[in-house]
């Protein structure tokens, strides 16, 4: 029978094996290096769980912040069904007046219209503050009246500017007419 291949391999490699003794303290140096590598891996392994925990905390904080946001400001419509109708009426009237105002925009009236829209933006910012005040005051009637007055001021401003722009348009048309 043929000799086993492993036996043949060892017979061929006989005399080439390294059989000398390892230097004194080799095992200690090897173990020190191995322990140092394991300690550095352990210190690096803490960053992953720590970063994951920090991410979870940030997500939770943002989540709670966004959940609390709707409670921090309330619309006029949240007071009663009548106030909801009032708010709907004012918002649609304001939007209609803004659309009408924008339709009259010409180079002569652009500055006046832009100024009016800036004042509307300021009134809207005041309304946002009133929404916060409504929550803090617990539906105080004075805050509700101030919110309604804010809507009325916006409509009055828009109507006033629309009438002035219409006047300018009429004057421009009259100047361009030829009289015989």
């Amino acid at each position: 029978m043929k000799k086993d291949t492993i036996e043949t391999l060892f017979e061929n490699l006989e005399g080439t094996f390294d059989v000398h003794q390892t230097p004194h303290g080799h095992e200690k140096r090897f173990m020190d290096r191995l322990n140092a590598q394991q300690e550095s891996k352990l210190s690096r392994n803490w960053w992953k769980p720590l970063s994951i925990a920090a991410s979870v905390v940030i997500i939770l904080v943002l989540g709670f912040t966004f959940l609390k946001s709707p409670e921090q400001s309330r619309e006029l419509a949240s007071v009663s069904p009548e106030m909801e109708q009032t708010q709907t009426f004012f918002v649609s009237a304001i939007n209609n007046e803004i659309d009408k105002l924008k339709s009259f925009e010409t180079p002569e009236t652009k500055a006046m219209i832009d100024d009016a829209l800036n004042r509307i933006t300021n009134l809207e910012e005041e309304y946002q503050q009133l929404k916060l005040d409504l929550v803090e005051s617990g539906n105080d009637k004075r805050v509700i009246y101030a919110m309604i007055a804010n809507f009325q001021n916006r409509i009055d401003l828009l109507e006033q500017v629309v009438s002035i722009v219409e006047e300018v348009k009429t004057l421009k048309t009259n100047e361009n007419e030829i009289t015989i």
Side-chain angles (χ1 to χ4, degrees), residues 88-150:
T88 303
F89 168 77
F90 279 122
V91 168
S92 65
I94 290 169
N95 289 336
N96 288 337
E97 290 296 319
I98 289 174
D99 291 340
K100 187 189 299 184
L101 185 63
K102 287 181 178 179
S103 71
F104 288 129
E105 188 169 335
T106 63
E108 293 86 17
T109 60
K110 181 169 178 34
M112 190 181 325
I113 291 173
D114 288 344
D115 182 53
L117 293 177
N118 284 336
R119 289 199 274 171
I120 291 296
T121 303
N122 291 340
L123 287 169
E124 287 176 9
E125 289 171 2
E126 288 176 17
Y127 184 77
Q128 296 302 321
Q129 182 59 45
L130 288 170
K131 287 178 11 181
L132 296 174
D133 292 344
L134 184 65
V135 172
E136 291 174 9
S137 70
N139 296 344
D140 187 359
K141 288 184 181 185
R142 293 174 294 181
V143 177
I144 294 170
Y145 292 142
M147 293 173 93
I148 293 171
N150 181 284

Side-chain angles (χ1 to χ4, degrees), residues 1-17:
M1 221 186 211
K2 279 184 158 183
K3 282 187 175 180
D4 197 27
T5 56
I6 291 191
E7 288 178 19
T8 309
L9 177 69
F10 279 111
E11 283 177 4
N12 290 339
L13 295 175
E14 191 173 332
T16 60
F17 291 113

Side-chain angles (χ1 to χ4, degrees), residues 72-90:
Q72 292 177 348
S73 69
R74 291 186 14 206
E75 294 284 334
L76 187 60
S78 66
V79 175
S80 70
E82 293 84 13
M83 289 298 131
E84 182 177 6
Q85 290 174 345
T86 303
Q87 180 177 343
T88 303
F89 168 77
F90 279 122

Side-chain angles (χ1 to χ4, degrees), residues 90 93-94 97 151-160:
F90 279 122
I94 290 169
E97 290 296 319
F151 279 131
Q152 289 172 335
N153 289 339
R154 285 192 255 175
I155 290 175
D156 292 342
L157 172 67
L158 289 169
E159 287 175 344
Q160 186 179 30

